[in-house]
Amino acid sequence: WLLVVGCWLLVVGCGWLCFWLLVLLVGCACCFWCAVCCAAGYLICMAYCAIYGGWLWANRADSIKDRVYGYQEGATVLTQFNCAFQVYDLISSLMYQTLLKNRDRVGHHVVAMILAFWAYHDSLFLYYSIFFFGVSEISSVFLTFVDFFKDFPTLRNPKINPKLAQLNELSRIMFAALFLSIRVVYWPYVSMQFWGDSIDALVAKTSAYPVFQFEIVMTMLANIGLTLLQFYWGYKVLLQVHKKICMSPRVSLDSKRDNSQEYGAIPACNKAVDLEKHDL
């Protein structure tokens, strides 16, 4: 744990040092490269959780005791790393007003940080932490590219950077597909198994099972909230998919005024709510 936090603080500290050196040398022009460094760090963290978590998830646990109280060294490292990352991301969200407005994101970081701490500190639900802190982050790898291109619209302009525009579109498609399949479809299935094991652990009267009733109950409640949050985010993703499919190709404003139906726009789609409010 100390090694993980130490390495993480070293990376963050070196990042801030490089940032201020760039500020002194080239001024505000370094903002873009600072964003590139931050996105690269976020991408590395998400890729680590996704790849390592996916590899660990392939090793199934047969008994309830192993799934609830079983110790797994790899899962411990994964939860420690994720806990440190949640602390860092929470601080970043609190420092920037644009991120602070996303209260669902801040709440997610707080809950995930507490759950990760319980997982590695009490060796509780380490098996399930592999999925919730590892496998579920697969879609976040592509979300890194989506967020980066959203902050710099010029880079995804097909007339200026056609290759980067294609990368942006591919990232959005992969993110939507993986998020809906993993976090909206597969997540509830894993959660149902988690709830079954949790209830069995709570009602078990044998001394072979250590008792963490408070932690288990709170984790079950947190799972309800996080599952609903995945559905909410999935709804926003579906709105974007609906918008992408139904909206007509972009044309000049004059052409739109003269021929609103010329480009094959679907009338039913024009009655949709203001989808711009639900941008990723």
Side-chain angles (χ1 to χ4, degrees), residues 220-241:
M220 295 170 68
L221 294 177
N223 178 259
I224 296 176
L226 291 175
T227 302
L228 293 176
L229 186 61
Q230 306 311 311
F231 290 156
Y232 170 68
W233 286 341
Y235 166 73
K236 295 174 69 174
V237 172
L238 288 175
L239 284 178
Q240 286 298 308
V241 174

Side-chain angles (χ1 to χ4, degrees), residues 39-131:
Y42 190 90
L43 176 63
I44 292 173
C45 293
M46 294 297 96
Y48 170 80
C49 292
I51 296 174
Y52 194 35
W55 179 70
L56 293 174
W57 188 244
N59 302 317
R60 312 300 294 177
D62 297 327
S63 66
I64 295 178
K65 184 177 180 180
D66 290 338
R67 292 193 295 266
V68 177
Y69 301 112
Y71 175 79
Q72 299 187 36
E73 183 176 358
T76 303
V77 174
L78 182 64
T79 52
Q80 290 173 346
F81 183 87
N82 202 283
C83 183
F85 175 78
Q86 296 297 340
V87 172
Y88 164 76
D89 215 6
L90 176 62
I91 295 175
S92 301
S93 300
L94 295 176
M95 288 177 60
Y96 297 98
Q97 290 288 16
T98 54
L99 297 178
L100 187 58
K101 293 180 181 179
N102 298 328
R103 297 180 180 179
D104 53 344
R105 174 173 177 170
V106 175
H108 170 269
H109 292 332
V110 174
V111 174
M113 178 183 63
I114 296 174
L115 295 178
F117 173 78
W118 280 344
Y120 78 80
H121 183 268
D122 299 328
S123 295
L124 186 64
F125 296 119
L126 282 174
Y127 170 75
Y128 289 106
S129 67
I130 296 173
F131 172 80

Side-chain angles (χ1 to χ4, degrees), residues 20 53 57 65 103 114 118 125-126 129 170 181-182 185 196 205 207 209 275:
W20 287 114
W57 188 244
K65 184 177 180 180
R103 297 180 180 179
I114 296 174
W118 280 344
F125 296 119
L126 282 174
S129 67
L170 178 62
S181 59
I182 296 176
V185 177
K205 300 299 182 180
S207 59
Y209 293 86
L275 299 182

Side-chain angles (χ1 to χ4, degrees), residues 169 172 239-248 275:
E169 289 300 320
R172 295 172 71 89
L239 284 178
Q240 286 298 308
V241 174
H242 178 272
K243 175 184 175 181
K244 185 69 176 178
I245 295 176
C246 295
M247 295 299 289
S248 61
L275 299 182

